[in-house]
Amino acid sequence: MRNDSPWSMATESSAVAVAGDANSTEPWSARVRALTRLGRHRESLALLRHGDPSPPPHALALPASVISCAALSLPSSVAQIHALGAKRGLLPAADAYLLSALLTAYSRLGSLRLAHQLLDEMPLESTPHTTLRTAFNSVISGCALHALPVACFALFHRMRAAAVRFDAVTLLALVPAAPLSVVPQVHALAARVGFATETSVANCLISTYARGGAFGAALARRVFDEMPLASRDLVSWNAVLSAHAQNGLAVDALDLYRRMRSPEGGGVEPDAVTIVGVLSSAAHLGALGVGFDVEHYVRQRLPGFRTNVQLCNALINFHARCGSLPRAQQLFDEMPRKSIVSWTALLTGHGMHGNGDVAVSLFERMVSEGIRPDNVAMVGLLSACSHAGLYDEGRKYFSTMESVYKLRPTLEHYTCMVDLLGRAGRLEEARELISSMPMPADGAVWGALLGACKIHKNVEVGEEAFANVVELEPRNAGYYVLMSNIYTDTGQLDNVARVRAMMRERGLKKEPGCSYVEHKGRVHLFMADDHSHPQARRIYELVIRLELMVKEKSSGVRESEVAAAKGRMEKAAAQPLVGIHSEKLAVAFGLLNTEAGSEIVVIKNLRVCGDCHSFLKVVSATTNRAFLVRDASRFHRFDGGVCSCKDYW
DNA sequence: GTAGGGTTAG
């Protein structure tokens, strides 16, 4: 995307005027500079070489030419102009602009030794202070660009030792180069000289802090909150929004989006970067309404969006993760240029829907188009194989990671494989894979094995997995619940009590399950046994009626059970009932409030349990409705009495 | 007339 900030527009339009046509009356050197500024580097150099300058090559054109050489990666041309400048006595310090341009060019091209040499040749005493500052800034920026943080800080110390004052530009290079633990110190230094609230520096601090997880996001937020309102620009909002989006704080990201657009936030118009962050959070949460609104905005206001690869990728990811694969596919097909992210987003979406074969063929097509898969694409592919039970394919692709694609499997790939093997019932093979890992297994890997043991009711392997996972993630209640359920399923009730006691002693509570449905632009959220919804009475009556119907249908239920269920129904409005999971409530709400024929979409934070799963299958048949449920690991589409997961999840 | 800030997939 073009940079559309006001000042760049202004300089750009004047550059356009000057570059103008070849007959322009503007001085020749001004046209060279203008062409460089417009990024028309080849034309700029052609004018320098073949134009008819009178007087001959001019000090005023040389700095721009050097920048053009750097942009075109022509180090020998930089050296030629360098030599020319030296011959004319413009160096080492007579022409600050040429010096600065050379420093920038060498730094950008990675000729940092040459840049240092040039810097060392500058006479500290006789060179104007601003020239020195710019010179240091150029080389510090170059070291930052080439990921040489130690060199950045060494230069910074030299700069300070020489009593050269740093400015905002120095900080813009230094802050992102600093190790995360050092950023607060640089921040404090910036604050001491009053730069920390300057727009560019604050924006830079925000995006740098954003790399530091949820804690970093909190620091980023503080920088943003401390900025004077007048200093906040669109980039500030984008940076702080992304800081939250990237660190799993999706609710806060969407909240920031609402705030920036509200009058209180200044009614800031979002751009493509904002939208990318918002869509990522909306996809995460399953916030369908937000995603659709934002897409509408994109189609109305950003007509060129199809050529913005990141924006299209964000849209594809949103639709793929929120239940609309055809829309994701259409966006994918309409992109003139795709990246590996586009393929991965679509592939992962198919994997989540259980379309393992589609994911595999997308992967093959991607490879045949010359895109080399990366680790993320492989995670998507392996998890697609796992969800679809494609045991042989999964093993094959896992082994090609190193042999064909030179990718070293990470913990995430091992997690996928343990999941794949474990769910296919190959618990021993999964165990062997864990012991063959070149790095220690983490909680997710052991957790995948534990989950497989739940499916296959294997106490022995389950206990081993549990012992390991509890060591690694002692505060994750989900694993205790899994182990306790394995004991329940195998009738070991004393062990169930033991695991529950462990949870109590450690003060752990199971994460409450919640599901939501969006209807007419509003989110309707349900927790298990939650009566707070205005329609709670009707919803519970419907669930209980459906439960009864399911029971009658499945097993020819006994009289006593019918009576008990009727008793429950009578009490429904009066007092909370036990044991109605949130997805049943959400689906019942959908049935009561939507038209026949439309699909009911439910987003859930935990995985669907076996009971709810068979309930929803039967209800989809008897009500002749389709339910699309996104749970913590994948999609289930219930329609006509069957689920798209084929009961493999 | 030099130096420069924000974005995606699991």
Side-chain angles (χ1 to χ4, degrees):
Chain A
M1 283 244 122
R2 285 253 301 278
N3 182 347
D4 285 335
S5 74
W7 59 262
S8 91
M9 293 286 275
T11 51
E12 205 167 287
S13 57
S14 63
V16 169
V18 173
D21 57 322
N23 305 322
S24 165
T25 54
E26 283 291 334
W28 169 84
S29 61
R31 279 167 48 220
V32 171
R33 287 202 306 271
L35 286 167
T36 294
R37 181 148 14 122
L38 289 170
R40 291 157 65 176
H41 301 296
R42 284 180 199 290
E43 292 166 71
S44 173
L45 291 184
L47 187 56
L48 179 80
R49 251 190 296 250
H50 309 297
D52 179 24
S54 42
H58 208 266
L60 285 179
L62 293 182
S65 304
V66 171
I67 296 299
S68 282
C69 294
L72 296 168
S73 289
L74 301 168
S76 59
S77 305
V78 176
Q80 274 173 27
I81 301 177
H82 186 168
L84 182 68
K87 208 169 89 188
R88 296 213 187 161
L90 300 170
L91 295 170
D95 187 333
Y97 294 108
L98 179 56
L99 180 71
S100 211
L102 284 169
L103 282 166
T104 305
Y106 285 135
S107 301
R108 283 198 193 152
L109 290 169
S111 308
L112 290 162
R113 213 177 43 80
L114 286 172
H116 271 97
Q117 231 169 54
L118 208 51
L119 190 63
D120 294 340
E121 285 169 13
M122 290 176 68
L124 280 176
E125 310 73 31
S126 56
T127 310
H129 187 262
T130 49
T131 306
L132 286 172
R133 181 161 61 216
T134 305
F136 273 107
N137 282 349
S138 296
V139 188
I140 293 176
S141 298
C143 292
L145 188 68
H146 291 90
L148 300 165
V150 178
C152 282
F153 277 87
L155 278 165
F156 183 59
H157 288 305
R158 255 183 72 188
M159 188 178 179
R160 306 205 78 199
V164 177
R165 276 193 304 280
F166 65 90
D167 64 1
V169 177
T170 325
L171 292 167
L172 293 177
L174 217 54
V175 168
L180 275 182
S181 59
V182 180
V183 175
Q185 291 169 52
V186 184
H187 182 180
L189 186 65
R192 241 192 344 263
V193 288
F195 287 136
T197 53
E198 197 160 291
T199 305
S200 64
V201 177
N203 292 350
C204 178
L205 283 165
I206 292 168
S207 54
T208 304
Y209 276 133
R211 298 199 296 246
F215 182 68
L219 295 175
R221 179 57 169 267
R222 214 165 70 192
V223 176
F224 179 81
D225 288 341
E226 285 170 2
M227 285 175 85
L229 279 176
S231 310
R232 284 182 197 163
D233 64 1
L234 176 59
V235 175
S236 321
W237 284 100
N238 287 347
V240 74
L241 193 152
S242 306
H244 290 81
Q246 286 165 357
N247 292 293
L249 302 166
V251 172
D252 304 77
L254 296 189
D255 209 55
L256 281 160
Y257 179 62
R258 242 194 324 274
R259 256 187 64 202
M260 79 182 262
R261 304 206 60 180
S262 73
E264 167 226 357
V268 181
E269 278 296 308
D271 69 354
V273 177
T274 325
I275 303 293
V276 168
V278 172
L279 281 172
S280 156
S281 297
H284 222 81
L285 293 172
L288 304 166
V290 177
F292 288 136
D293 284 354
V294 163
E295 181 173 20
H296 181 73
Y297 181 91
V298 168
R299 291 180 185 277
Q300 297 279 303
R301 308 290 289 275
L302 306 172
F305 77 94
R306 275 178 230 281
T307 57
N308 183 328
V309 178
Q310 281 107 317
L311 181 51
C312 288
N313 290 345
L315 282 167
I316 293 171
N317 180 51
F318 168 75
H319 285 301
R321 295 183 59 91
C322 291
S324 183
L325 283 174
R327 281 168 192 252
Q329 181 74 54
Q330 196 185 349
L331 282 154
F332 180 85
D333 292 338
E334 289 168 356
M335 284 174 82
R337 287 174 54 88
K338 312 177 206 317
S339 72
I340 185 167
V341 179
S342 331
W343 290 90
T344 305
L346 191 60
L347 184 161
T348 303
H350 277 288
M352 288 176 68
H353 284 78
N355 306 332
D357 48 346
V358 181
V360 166
S361 70
L362 275 169
F363 180 81
E364 291 297 344
R365 259 180 61 204
M366 178 182 94
V367 172
S368 74
E369 294 197 9
I371 298 179
R372 199 174 75 92
D374 65 5
N375 277 331
V376 184
M378 294 308 298
V379 169
L381 178 65
L382 294 177
S383 87
C385 290
S386 171
H387 285 308
L390 299 179
Y391 170 85
D392 292 322
E393 287 85 345
R395 283 190 43 152
K396 181 187 91 184
Y397 285 117
F398 182 67
S399 76
T400 59
M401 277 187 70
E402 288 207 89
S403 61
V404 180
Y405 303 117
K406 311 291 171 221
L407 296 169
R408 183 151 303 161
T410 68
L411 283 167
E412 275 183 293
H413 301 103
Y414 282 106
T415 304
C416 288
M417 287 309 290
V418 168
D419 193 56
L420 176 95
L421 300 172
R423 279 203 287 195
R426 318 231 179 185
L427 296 174
E428 267 316 310
E429 218 174 306
R431 254 177 72 175
E432 281 162 23
L433 181 67
I434 294 178
S435 48
S436 78
M437 286 169 57
M439 72 287 261
D442 68 353
V445 173
W446 287 111
L449 184 62
L450 184 63
C453 292
K454 162 73 175 73
I455 295 171
H456 297 288
K457 305 190 197 321
N458 186 317
V459 174
E460 193 194 327
V461 181
E463 283 177 336
E464 181 191 345
F466 181 66
N468 282 290
V469 83
V470 160
E471 181 124 335
L472 292 159
E473 289 185 37
R475 307 219 43 89
N476 189 328
Y479 297 132
Y480 296 82
V481 174
L482 263 179
M483 189 70 231
S484 141
N485 288 343
I486 294 175
Y487 287 133
T488 306
D489 289 349
T490 53
Q492 303 186 28
L493 298 183
D494 45 343
N495 279 325
V496 173
R498 192 171 54 79
V499 175
R500 297 258 164 95
M502 272 173 92
M503 287 181 72
R504 246 195 327 278
E505 280 161 24
R506 300 178 185 193
L508 300 177
K509 283 226 160 61
K510 187 185 166 192
E511 186 189 347
C514 68
S515 300
Y516 52 87
V517 172
E518 292 196 17
H519 180 61
K520 293 190 174 158
R522 290 183 58 102
V523 176
H524 298 264
L525 177 85
F526 300 91
M527 318 270 285
D529 305 323
D530 161 17
H531 283 253
S532 61
H533 194 275
Q535 300 177 18
R537 186 194 168 106
R538 290 174 61 209
I539 291 169
Y540 275 85
E541 280 174 3
L542 178 56
V543 170
I544 290 160
R545 212 166 61 232
L546 291 170
E547 278 187 336
L548 188 60
M549 181 270 297
V550 169
K551 267 191 186 162
E552 279 172 344
K553 218 175 164 64
S554 61
S555 61
V557 81
R558 284 192 296 273
E559 284 302 312
S560 58
E561 286 183 65
V562 176
K566 286 197 171 140
R568 271 176 106 184
M569 211 163 134
E570 277 150 22
K571 281 190 264 172
Q575 61 195 54
L577 292 163
V578 187
I580 296 188
H581 284 165
S582 59
E583 54 270 53
K584 287 184 180 172
L585 300 173
V587 165
F589 168 83
L591 287 170
L592 288 169
N593 291 281
T594 60
E595 286 172 23
S598 63
E599 187 181 70
I600 296 171
V601 181
V602 176
I603 308 288
K604 184 174 188 203
N605 65 336
L606 303 177
R607 290 170 76 152
V608 180
C609 77
D611 174 57
C612 290
H613 197 265
S614 41
F615 172 86
L616 293 173
K617 281 197 293 184
V618 177
V619 173
S620 74
T622 52
T623 59
N624 198 25
R625 296 291 298 269
F627 316 130
L628 184 63
V629 181
R630 189 184 94 177
D631 76 0
S633 77
R634 61 164 295 152
F635 279 97
H636 299 266
R637 190 168 192 278
F638 301 93
D639 193 6
V642 293
C643 177
S644 61
C645 77
K646 304 190 182 85
D647 299 338
Y648 189 86
W649 89 98

